[in-house]
Amino acid sequence: FRSEFLRAFPSIDMPIALAPLVSDFERKQEPKSKGGAGSQWLAMRCAEPAFWEFLAPMNSGAAPANEASAAIVVREYLQVASRAEVDTDPDAKARFDELRLQWIDWCAEND
């Protein structure tokens, strides 16, 4: 753009710096969080050791050892490839709702 600038300002007598401007529509969008309320709820629960204990019966009696293994157990139990599917697939949503009710009951029994 240097030549265009010099055509517009042929007798400039001071140092300048040129920087391209980016239109709003060209700016990179902030990444959106993956999934909706259901998958976010699952992600938060998978980070909780108490939830790992709750998952033990669904994992051959062994509680998952960490967040990643809890996520695997949840995906297998809900029959989904991604926890985000609970927000888009009606069947997965129904299984998720049942899991959430079981969690609420488990919490009430283990308080």
Side-chain angles (χ1 to χ4, degrees), residues 9-89:
F9 302 97
S11 60
I12 189 112
D13 61 352
M14 67 174 75
I16 61 156
L18 298 176
L21 298 177
V22 178
S23 301
D24 283 344
F25 68 89
E26 293 174 330
R27 288 189 184 151
K28 292 188 177 187
Q29 299 294 320
E30 291 294 320
K32 294 182 180 178
S33 61
K34 188 175 179 180
S39 60
Q40 290 173 7
W41 184 92
L42 283 170
M44 288 187 293
R45 295 299 82 75
C46 285
E48 297 176 6
F51 192 68
W52 305 348
E53 291 178 40
F54 162 74
L55 293 174
M58 300 167 204
N59 191 37
S60 303
N66 55 42
E67 183 176 348
S69 57
I72 291 168
V73 173
V74 166
R75 287 192 305 268
E76 288 175 357
Y77 181 79
L78 296 177
Q79 302 168 23
V80 295
S82 167
R83 290 176 294 201
E85 289 180 44
V86 301
D87 298 308
T88 57
D89 178 347

Side-chain angles (χ1 to χ4, degrees), residues 37-39 41-42 54 77-78 86-87 89-105:
S39 60
W41 184 92
L42 283 170
F54 162 74
Y77 181 79
L78 296 177
V86 301
D87 298 308
D89 178 347
D91 294 331
K93 169 93 168 85
R95 290 189 295 272
F96 163 69
D97 288 339
E98 181 59 34
L99 176 74
R100 195 166 45 156
L101 290 174
Q102 291 172 17
W103 166 247
I104 291 168
D105 290 342

